[in-house]
């Protein structure tokens, strides 16, 4: 590993170490990649590794990698807690970072534990952000905070996964404010396996107001959406900028014909039941 740190030619590195029980000590070695003088792209699959709170905190040291432009950290099922999200939010300090993927799914962030990730909006050059936060017992405070990513002046691509969090009806409403993200051109929201209902669909339909949004994907499977929800979602066709709309709707209580009016002459629309 030490040779990797010292290499002056290494530009891109992918490490697939999933399910190897490397633990915090192994992660300490990996964090040494921050000292690479040439590394621009780093992908690390560390799923199911018993990284734990201490290991994730160590990984936040990658914020010192001065030339890193693209970073993907896959850390699901590692017993991470709220303080780890706070530590990983330090990655916003990377001066060259343009693309960031954090997979923190199936951990123990707990209610309020994901709020600090909204600080990633402060990253100087970040234009593409993917956050996998499924199955973490999140709450309304987390959704509200994450919606503040809209305050990034340069964010163009956002994927936010908050599925399987048992969020009650009404808790998706803050996501409608993502329409205010000034540079956003593609948005995917994975909201499946919660308890979202009509008022959430009405709010999500407001995403049609996003002035520059071109691609929108809403994964709404297995919630509590009914006929009124379908009527609200049909309003997405009124967007003046969307060229592609995809809806995943299985496991809800309205029938396919309830959304039959979702048609547009110039917009590619795909619905999956």
């Amino acid at each position: 590993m030490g040779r990797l740190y010292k290499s002056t030619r290494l530009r891109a590195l992918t490490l697939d170490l999933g399910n190897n029980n490397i633990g915090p000590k192994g992660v300490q070695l990996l964090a040494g990649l921050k000292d690479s003088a040439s590394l621009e792209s780093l992908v690390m699959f560390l799923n199911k590794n018993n990284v734990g709170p201490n290991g994730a905190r160590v990984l936040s040291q990658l914020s010192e990698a001065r030339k890193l432009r693209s970073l993907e950290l896959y850390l699901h099922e590692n017993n991470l807690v709220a303080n780890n999200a706070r530590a990983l939010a330090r990655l916003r300090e990377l001066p060259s970072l343009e693309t960031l993927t954090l997979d923190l799914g199936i951990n123990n962030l707990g209610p309020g534990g994901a709020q600090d990730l909204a600080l990633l909006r402060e990253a100087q050059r970040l234009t593409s952000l993917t956050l996998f936060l499924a199955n973490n017992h999140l709450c309304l405070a987390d959704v509200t905070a994450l919606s503040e990513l809209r305050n990034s002046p340069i964010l163009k691509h956002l994927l936010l996964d908050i599925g399987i969090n048992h969020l009650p009806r009404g808790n998706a409403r803050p996501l409608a404010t993502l329409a205010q993200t000034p540079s956003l051109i593609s948005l995917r929201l994975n909201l499946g396996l919660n308890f979202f209902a009509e008022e959430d669909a009405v709010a999500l339909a407001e995403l049609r107001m996003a002035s520059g949004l071109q691609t929108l994907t809403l994964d709404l499977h297995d919630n509590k959406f009914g006929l009124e929800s379908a009527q609200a979602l049909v309003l997405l066709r009124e967007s003046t900028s969307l060229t592609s709309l995809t809806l995943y709707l299985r496991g809800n209580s309205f029938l396919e014909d309830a959304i039959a009016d979702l048609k547009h002459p110039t917009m590619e629309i795909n619905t999956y039941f």
Side-chain angles (χ1 to χ4, degrees), residues 113 257 264:
D257 58 1
H264 193 279

Side-chain angles (χ1 to χ4, degrees), residues 200-212:
D200 301 289
V202 170
L204 292 171
E206 294 179 14
L207 292 170
R208 70 187 186 278
M209 307 303 292
S211 59

Side-chain angles (χ1 to χ4, degrees), residues 132-162:
F132 294 108
L133 302 172
N135 206 347
N136 267 290
H137 308 289
L138 303 185
C139 68
L140 177 59
D142 296 295
V143 181
T144 301
L146 291 168
S147 298
E148 292 179 9
L149 290 167
R150 66 182 180 274
N151 293 321
S152 167
I154 59 172
L155 188 63
K156 294 182 178 180
H157 309 280
L158 175 61
L159 189 159
L160 179 60
D161 181 357
I162 56 171

Side-chain angles (χ1 to χ4, degrees), residues 193 219-223 247-252 272-273:
L193 288 162
D219 186 346
L220 308 176
H221 76 273
D222 293 287
N223 276 282
L247 301 176
Y248 295 92
L249 303 168
R250 66 176 173 81
N252 289 288
Y272 300 93
F273 289 87

Side-chain angles (χ1 to χ4, degrees), residues 39-268:
L39 192 61
E40 297 180 356
S41 176
L42 176 61
V43 180
M44 290 200 290
F45 294 95
L46 302 174
N47 310 319
K48 298 183 180 180
N49 261 300
N50 195 29
V51 167
N54 292 333
R57 193 175 302 114
V58 168
L59 281 174
S60 69
Q61 295 176 14
L62 290 171
S63 62
E64 301 173 22
R66 312 318 292 174
K67 290 194 175 182
L68 203 59
R69 297 173 55 193
S70 177
L71 175 61
E72 299 180 32
L73 294 177
Y74 296 89
L75 295 165
H76 72 255
E77 293 189 74
N78 269 296
N79 299 314
L80 307 188
V81 297
N83 286 340
N84 299 134
R86 185 173 302 116
L88 290 169
R90 284 184 54 202
L91 295 171
R92 68 187 185 278
E93 299 171 7
L94 282 163
S96 302
L97 189 66
E98 299 173 357
T99 300
L100 175 62
T101 296
L102 291 178
D103 181 357
L104 308 181
I106 319 179
N107 280 291
N108 299 305
L109 299 185
Q115 294 184 67
D116 287 306
L117 293 173
L119 294 173
L120 292 168
R121 66 183 182 272
E122 300 175 0
Q124 297 177 6
R125 299 182 64 181
L126 188 66
T127 59
S128 180
L129 176 62
T130 297
L131 295 175
F132 294 108
L133 302 172
N135 206 347
N136 267 290
H137 308 289
L138 303 185
C139 68
L140 177 59
D142 296 295
V143 181
T144 301
L146 291 168
S147 298
E148 292 179 9
L149 290 167
R150 66 182 180 274
N151 293 321
S152 167
I154 59 172
L155 188 63
K156 294 182 178 180
H157 309 280
L158 175 61
L159 189 159
L160 179 60
D161 181 357
I162 56 171
I164 325 176
N165 272 293
H166 309 293
L167 290 160
R169 62 186 302 156
N171 277 204
R173 287 182 294 182
L175 297 173
T177 64
L178 290 172
Q180 302 168 20
T181 315
S183 300
L184 197 64
I185 60 175
S186 72
L187 174 64
R188 175 167 181 147
L189 298 176
N190 293 349
L191 309 177
L193 288 162
N194 285 294
F195 296 97
F196 299 142
E198 276 71 18
E199 56 264 50
D200 301 289
V202 170
L204 292 171
E206 294 179 14
L207 292 170
R208 70 187 186 278
M209 307 303 292
S211 59
L213 190 63
Q214 299 175 17
T215 302
L216 175 62
T217 300
L218 297 177
D219 186 346
L220 308 176
H221 76 273
D222 293 287
N223 276 282
K224 302 295 181 181
F225 296 118
L227 179 59
E228 293 182 12
S229 302
Q231 294 170 341
L233 293 172
V234 166
L235 295 176
L236 289 168
R237 68 185 178 185
E238 298 178 0
S239 168
T240 59
S241 60
L242 276 179
T243 59
S244 177
L245 173 64
T246 302
L247 301 176
Y248 295 92
L249 303 168
R250 66 176 173 81
N252 289 288
S253 60
F254 56 82
L255 299 176
E256 186 171 349
D257 58 1
I259 206 162
D261 290 335
L262 188 55
K263 299 177 181 178
H264 193 279
T266 61
M267 187 189 306
E268 179 184 353

